[in-house]
């Protein structure tokens, strides 16, 4: 497996990542030892789900695989669950860009 | 050199199965094609689908490409093309194109036969003769470089990107190293990871085409005024820990391995053999995506799943690989390879080698779980011409 396992229970895929993936169901309040110290989970994290390993301010990038997987929609504290409630995709967003696209395409010759 | 024993076709291609394909040209001939295949017995494989008798030109051309490509797939030893008799697709023309590959091909018209009862009777007779004809072909020695290996993912979860996909990717690297072709697809699942693939393209033309296709798929969401959330990642993907399309894509592309991207071909377009890693522009719908690659000539498919997909294909064996320990435990009947050992510390290379060895064994005749259970899903991707036209316009 690519990455670094912390405390036998979670995976950090690259050193640029801001989240770790739970390799087993993790309980709320669990302390996870890391090279830098420890992380206390702020809620239960199911197997395969992610938690923050560093604080992320609203609108900042969420990184996994060393790449951007979305934007924090709110402040995310260390140990919080990171999922659709606080991390938004920036791609395939027709809901937010439709009017912009429609305006741009107005008057454009289809040929 | 890695070898296996396969069925050498007249045009030099090598099949790993020796099926008689029964190909309906529209939905109106599909039930009958299935009926004939069931009654004709082992060896006959129908490809029932949903396409109508009249299709707009781009959709019709794509359907024709799928039918011809499926018939020409080296796993097919002979084919029967079945029509109601009103289709805009000409069964004789499809049969002619398939027979260029040197295999026996017959046609059957339900109307000309005088209805379904006589058509089933004639069809069974034709298939029995074709089965007799293919029986004379024996397995002979073939080289791993002659394999076209398609990879697919469906029912993904967080384990897909960390275990099953990179393990299958390792097997892809081995196929490419052996001189074969590996192919992955599902363009919507390049979104957010396309910059990584673009950097791996061997030439500027491929890179430009790849980025253009990704933009078209993304613009379909803009065109419809919707966002991908809810569908991409799907509710099941989300339950499995995948939050955004970017995260899903970054995990999905690892199933293609680490070699250079040599080309990106159209849906169901022939995949050249001995060509390294080639992409195909397909939708994210896994059954249609597998069908596109098999029509492109892939003899064997590896399909990764986290949450537990059971789909197969009528023409090409599908090797199911899961990285989720719970899915392996609960659905072991439908799974061929347990890649969840990667999470316990087994190396990707070890599991990748196991997948590559399984691939060669399946090429040699070993049956996969989906083959034993006769899971043979088939669906053709239907082009919506207006949508495509508009998405290209937005892309400018």
């Amino acid at each position: 497996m690519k990455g670094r396992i912390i405390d036998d229970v979670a995976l950090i895929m690259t050193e640029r990542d801001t989240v770790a993936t739970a390799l087993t169901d993790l309980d709320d309040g669990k302390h996870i030892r890391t090279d830098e110290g420890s992380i206390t989970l702020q809620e239960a994290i199911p197997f395969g789900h992610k938690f923050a390993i560093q604080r992320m301010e609203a609108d900042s990038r969420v990184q996994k695989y060393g790449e951007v997987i979305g934007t924090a929609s709110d402040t995310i504290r260390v140990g919080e669950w990171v999922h659709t409630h606080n991390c938004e995709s920036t791609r395939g967003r027709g809901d937010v860009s439709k009017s912009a696209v429609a305006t741009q395409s107005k008057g454009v010759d289809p040929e | 050199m890695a070898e296996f024993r396969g069925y050498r076709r007249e045009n030099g291609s090598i099949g790993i199965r020796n099926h008689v394909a029964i190909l309906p040209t529209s939905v109106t001939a599909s039930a009958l094609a299935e009926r004939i295949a069931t009654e004709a017995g082992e060896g006959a494989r129908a490809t029932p689908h949903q396409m109508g008798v009249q299709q707009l030109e781009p959709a019709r051309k794509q359907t024709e490409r799928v039918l011809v490509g499926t018939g020409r797939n080296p796993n097919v030893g002979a084919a029967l093309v079945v029509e109601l008799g009103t289709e805009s697709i000409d069964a004789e023309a499809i049969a002619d194109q398939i027979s260029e590959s040197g295999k026996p091909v017959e046609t059957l018209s339900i109307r000309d036969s005088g209805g379904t009862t006589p058509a089933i009777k004639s069809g069974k007779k034709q298939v029995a003769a074709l089965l007799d004809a293919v029986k004379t072909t024996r397995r002979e020695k073939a080289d791993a470089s002659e394999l076209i290996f398609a990879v697919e993912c469906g029912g993904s979860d967080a384990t897909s990107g960390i275990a099953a996909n990179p393990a299958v990717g390792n097997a892809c690297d081995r196929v490419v190293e052996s001189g074969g072709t590996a192919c992955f697809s599902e363009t919507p699942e390049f979104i957010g990871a396309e910059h990584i693939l673009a950097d791996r393209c061997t030439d500027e033309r491929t890179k430009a085409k790849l980025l253009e296709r990704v933009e078209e798929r993304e613009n379909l969401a803009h065109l419809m005024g919707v966002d991908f959330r809810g569908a991409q990642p799907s509710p099941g993907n989300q339950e499995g820990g995948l939050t955004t399309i970017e995260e899903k894509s970054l995990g999905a592309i690892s199933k293609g391995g680490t070699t250079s991207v040599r080309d990106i071909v159209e849906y169901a377009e022939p995949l050249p053999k001995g060509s390294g890693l080639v992409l195909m522009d397909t939708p994210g719908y896994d059954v249609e995506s597998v069908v596109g690659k098999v029509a492109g000539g892939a003899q064997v498919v590896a399909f990764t799943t986290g949450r537990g997909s059971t789909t197969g294909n009528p023409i090409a064996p599908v090797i199911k690989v899961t990285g989720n320990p719970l899915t392996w435990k609960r659905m072991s009947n439908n799974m061929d390879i347990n890649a969840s050992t990667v999470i316990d510390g087994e190396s990707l290379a070890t599991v990748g080698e196991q997948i590559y060895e399984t691939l060669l064994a399946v090429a040699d005749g070993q049956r996969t779980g989906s083959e034993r259970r006769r899971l043979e899903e088939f669906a053709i991707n239907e082009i919506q011409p207006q949508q495509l036209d508009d998405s290209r316009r937005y892309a400018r």
Side-chain angles (χ1 to χ4, degrees):
Chain A
M1 198 159 47
K2 279 179 192 148
R4 171 163 64 95
I5 293 175
I6 49 172
D7 210 358
D8 290 334
V9 294
L11 174 72
I12 300 172
M13 299 196 69
T14 78
E15 295 309 317
R16 280 192 290 173
D17 293 3
T18 61
V19 294
T21 302
L23 296 178
T24 182
D25 289 336
L26 299 175
D27 293 333
D28 183 10
K30 183 178 172 65
H31 299 288
I32 296 170
R33 288 188 308 275
T34 68
D35 294 349
E36 298 81 24
S38 95
I39 292 171
T40 305
L41 295 182
Q42 303 299 312
E43 51 207 310
I45 312 293
F47 171 67
H49 286 243
K50 299 173 291 297
F51 58 89
I53 54 172
Q54 55 178 258
R55 186 184 165 90
M56 285 168 272
E57 302 301 334
D59 298 325
S60 67
R61 292 165 160 193
V62 179
Q63 299 210 149
K64 180 182 167 185
Y65 296 101
E67 299 284 337
V68 179
I69 62 162
T71 302
S73 53
D74 206 341
T75 304
I76 305 175
R77 291 170 304 156
V78 174
E80 267 185 56
W81 181 36
V82 178
H83 203 29
T84 49
H85 62 291
N86 59 9
C87 172
E88 281 203 348
S89 170
T90 59
R91 303 292 303 272
R93 292 294 300 272
D95 58 332
V96 289
S97 60
K98 189 193 179 191
S99 54
V101 172
T103 312
Q104 279 166 15
S105 65
K106 209 176 273 177
V108 171
D109 185 348
E111 297 308 306
Chain B
M1 279 306 241
E3 287 176 344
F4 66 97
R5 295 177 71 82
Y7 301 95
R8 182 73 59 192
R9 306 299 175 199
E10 220 167 89
N11 65 354
S13 66
I14 192 93
I16 66 168
R17 295 296 181 268
N18 201 22
H19 298 315
V20 171
I22 304 171
L23 309 165
T25 61
S26 75
V27 67
T28 61
S30 285
L32 190 115
E34 266 191 297
R35 175 82 170 267
I36 293 170
T38 307
E39 295 191 10
E42 187 62 31
R45 292 288 186 280
T47 62
H49 61 86
Q50 81 289 14
M51 303 301 283
V53 291
Q54 301 298 327
Q55 299 169 44
L56 294 170
E57 199 191 338
R60 177 175 55 76
K61 283 191 167 159
Q62 179 154 295
T63 303
E64 289 173 349
R65 201 159 68 232
V66 172
L67 294 173
V68 170
T70 305
R72 291 177 70 112
N73 184 293
N75 292 353
V76 172
L80 173 67
V81 184
V82 188
E83 62 173 10
L84 174 64
T86 62
E87 289 89 345
S88 56
I89 292 176
D90 179 9
E92 291 293 341
I94 300 293
D96 287 347
Q97 288 178 72
I98 297 171
S99 68
E100 279 169 20
S101 60
K103 59 187 79 169
V105 188
E106 298 273 331
T107 60
L108 173 67
S109 161
I110 299 171
R111 280 198 177 170
D112 289 350
S113 303
T116 52
T117 305
I120 290 168
K121 204 175 155 192
S122 315
K124 275 169 68 181
K125 227 164 127 181
Q126 285 170 302
V127 172
L130 293 172
L131 282 167
D132 279 343
V134 302
K135 254 187 226 157
T136 57
T137 310
R138 298 270 171 240
R139 284 192 185 264
E140 58 183 78
K141 208 183 274 183
D143 191 87
S145 65
E146 298 180 83
L147 285 173
I148 299 174
F149 179 42
V151 297
E152 183 69 36
C153 58
S156 298
D157 67 12
T159 65
S160 302
I162 61 180
N165 287 343
V168 165
N170 184 279
C172 278
D173 287 350
R174 290 168 196 268
V175 168
V176 171
E177 199 183 322
S178 306
T181 299
C183 176
F184 76 104
S185 59
E186 302 182 283
T187 316
E189 293 166 25
F190 301 165
I191 294 173
E194 71 270 47
H195 57 292
I196 299 170
L197 292 173
D199 281 348
R200 279 167 51 193
C201 289
T202 48
D203 59 83
E204 288 301 317
R205 187 199 62 85
T206 302
K207 184 175 174 174
K209 190 173 170 189
L210 165 73
L211 293 173
E212 180 191 298
R213 294 312 169 91
V214 173
E215 197 176 353
E216 279 170 24
R217 299 277 173 181
E218 193 170 8
N219 280 329
L220 280 177
H222 294 284
L223 172 72
M224 292 184 280
V226 297
D227 68 317
F228 276 173
R229 293 171 305 169
Q232 284 286 21
S234 71
N237 295 154
Q238 293 184 15
E239 214 180 299
L242 299 177
T243 303
T244 62
I245 182 62
E246 296 93 314
E247 183 183 11
K248 183 175 174 176
S249 297
L250 289 161
I253 64 163
S254 62
K255 68 180 178 288
T258 59
T259 62
S260 300
V261 175
R262 304 294 183 91
D263 201 357
I264 175 165
V265 301
E266 304 298 328
Y267 182 80
E269 198 184 329
L271 291 162
K273 84 174 182 188
S275 294
L277 181 63
V278 177
L279 307 183
M280 183 179 278
D281 180 21
T282 76
Y285 173 21
D286 48 20
V287 174
E288 289 183 356
S289 175
V290 168
V291 163
K293 284 174 287 191
V294 173
Q299 302 109 316
V300 58
V301 181
F303 190 124
T304 65
T305 182
R307 300 183 59 80
S309 157
T310 61
T311 61
N313 180 271
I315 305 301
V318 174
I319 302 165
K320 277 277 158 51
V321 182
T322 186
N324 186 320
L326 189 65
T327 299
W328 173 253
K329 208 166 126 186
R330 279 201 308 213
M331 295 181 66
S332 57
N333 280 342
N334 293 103
M335 297 298 135
D336 297 288
I337 293 192
N338 178 15
S340 75
T341 53
V342 168
I343 297 171
D344 303 325
E346 193 156 33
S347 77
L348 286 169
T350 304
V351 181
E353 186 179 2
Q354 190 194 342
I355 295 166
Y356 182 68
E357 292 300 327
T358 303
L359 164 68
L360 291 173
V362 167
D364 248 337
Q366 181 183 304
R367 295 203 302 164
T368 65
S370 58
E371 273 187 302
R372 287 195 301 273
R373 286 166 189 78
R374 296 293 303 261
L375 299 167
E376 298 170 2
E377 287 81 354
F378 193 89
I380 296 174
N381 173 242
E382 181 170 10
I383 295 183
Q384 309 291 340
Q386 188 56 41
Q387 274 186 355
L388 267 181
D389 180 52
D390 284 351
S391 74
R392 287 200 172 121
R393 191 183 310 166
Y394 283 132
R396 288 205 184 107

